[in-house]
Amino acid sequence: MLKEKPSIEKLRWIMSQLRDPETGCPWDIKQNFASITAHTIEEAYEVVDAIEQQDFTELNKELGDLLFQVIFYSQMGQEQQLFDFDSVVASICEKLIRRHPHVFANAALTSDAQIKANWENEKAKERQIKNQQQSISVLADIPKHLPALSQAAKIQKRCSHVGFDWHNTKDVFAKIEEEVLEVKVELEAKEVNPVALGEELGDLMFAVVNLCRHVKQDPETLLRQANKKFTKRFHGVEAQVEASGKDFLAHDLAQLEQYWQQVKVQEKLLASKTKE
């Protein structure tokens, strides 16, 4: 098998050898479902990072690492007679065909709204079957370990599907303004209550996520982009601090802000030259 061309079957064989109780890799042998979840999350983020960097050579490698995670779980499932790779593939094939009746059946779903509504309805049916109850929460089965921004967006999306949502961005923005005022009240209290302040800040962030969703933007992606932009600009500030010959802490905030504004001006000049 070692001499065979790369294939899913070869990858599955490699995984079985790594998990062999007698001749396998000690690290791979001692792993279980819970112990590799952190690696799975890390690999998923590395895929996203490669895409954001437009490094498609690296993306090719990172997708392989992510695929290996699926193979790893499938091998452990097979060992415990819970499921195997073939059943994983069968499950996703069945789900995709069922959730796309406008492609694989004769359903007349033409607009994005109809397609999304059908998708959510199918997911609701799946939750009903999974829980085997007459009535279950709309918010059932939202992963607890999702990044908080993504989890908030998913909660709001579920609620919107059953009509519990603002009808326009004006109302959403008004809610943000309301939450800002409530944060301000807590900050200006004679004695700031950190618990109450934290709760209001959380409400404000939740409201901002709702605005992102309403304008069809992914909040997790937006914050990642903002982090990336800030980091790039701060590197520019650091370069100017170094060029000044003075220590970072020897600069006051006004000087650092001036560097920051200079970095932004340089960005605009570079952007305009790129467009020419």
Side-chain angles (χ1 to χ4, degrees):
M1 181 64 80
L2 278 173
K3 296 180 180 179
E4 295 289 330
K5 291 182 179 180
S7 65
I8 283 292
E9 290 307 316
K10 183 174 182 178
L11 183 57
R12 293 175 66 181
W13 175 79
I14 291 171
M15 186 71 255
S16 68
Q17 298 306 298
L18 291 174
R19 290 278 294 180
D20 187 285
E22 296 181 0
T23 61
C25 169
W27 185 88
D28 290 279
I29 292 171
K30 70 180 182 180
Q31 301 310 309
N32 55 47
F33 289 114
S35 69
I36 65 170
T37 54
H39 299 284
T40 307
I41 293 170
E42 181 180 340
E43 297 299 352
Y45 274 111
E46 288 180 356
V47 166
V48 173
D49 188 62
I51 293 171
E52 290 180 347
Q53 300 297 327
Q54 296 191 4
D55 188 343
F56 298 108
T57 299
E58 195 63 25
L59 177 59
N60 176 70
K61 299 174 184 177
E62 298 300 347
L63 286 171
D65 291 342
L66 188 57
L67 174 60
F68 180 69
Q69 296 295 304
V70 177
I71 296 296
F72 208 143
Y73 288 116
S74 299
Q75 175 65 30
M76 291 188 289
Q78 181 174 323
E79 292 166 1
Q80 299 178 43
Q81 298 183 334
L82 300 172
F83 58 87
D84 59 18
F85 182 75
D86 290 337
S87 65
V88 170
V89 173
S91 176
I92 188 60
C93 286
E94 185 278 330
K95 182 187 294 184
L96 289 173
I97 291 172
R98 175 167 43 77
R99 289 188 180 180
H100 293 82
H102 52 297
V103 176
F104 301 105
N106 299 318
L109 304 177
T110 55
S111 69
D112 285 349
Q114 290 175 324
I115 291 170
K116 289 179 181 178
N118 175 75
W119 183 273
E120 290 299 325
N121 288 335
E122 286 296 327
K123 289 171 69 175
K125 291 177 185 176
E126 290 167 12
R127 292 194 295 272
Q128 192 77 38
I129 294 171
K130 179 180 178 180
N131 287 273
Q132 296 181 341
Q133 297 175 1
Q134 293 299 316
S135 178
I136 59 172
S137 172
V138 169
L139 303 180
D141 299 335
I142 292 179
K144 294 181 176 60
H145 296 295
L146 273 177
L149 291 176
S150 297
Q151 188 182 63
K154 203 168 190 68
I155 289 170
Q156 294 166 1
K157 182 180 177 183
R158 291 272 187 93
C159 291
S160 178
H161 184 64
V162 294
F164 192 72
D165 194 7
W166 301 111
H167 295 301
N168 53 66
T169 54
K170 182 180 178 180
D171 291 337
V172 177
F173 201 82
K175 184 63 176 176
I176 292 175
E177 293 176 323
E178 176 188 322
E179 298 297 349
V180 168
L181 289 175
E182 292 180 2
V183 169
K184 187 178 180 182
V185 167
E186 292 300 330
L187 285 171
E188 294 177 348
K190 191 171 182 179
E191 290 187 14
V192 175
N193 182 332
V195 175
L197 176 60
E199 184 175 340
E200 296 302 343
L201 285 169
D203 290 345
L204 175 57
M205 287 189 283
F206 192 84
V208 172
V209 169
N210 205 17
L211 178 59
C212 295
R213 183 180 60 83
H214 270 263
V215 296
K216 303 187 188 311
Q217 298 276 353
D218 175 57
E220 193 76 28
T221 300
L222 294 180
L223 187 55
R224 284 172 61 85
Q225 291 171 346
N227 291 343
K228 182 179 178 182
K229 181 172 67 175
F230 181 91
T231 300
K232 182 181 178 182
R233 287 178 176 175
F234 190 76
H235 287 331
V237 172
E238 288 178 315
Q240 294 197 54
V241 168
E242 186 175 354
S244 75
K246 296 191 300 181
D247 185 74
F248 213 107
L249 295 177
H251 292 74
D252 60 25
L253 182 57
Q255 290 173 309
L256 295 175
E257 176 62 22
Q258 185 179 2
Y259 291 157
W260 180 269
Q261 294 303 326
Q262 289 173 0
V263 170
K264 291 176 67 175
V265 169
Q266 290 169 1
E267 281 183 358
K268 290 180 180 179
L269 288 174
L270 181 61
S272 63
K273 288 181 180 179
T274 304
K275 292 179 181 179
E276 292 177 356

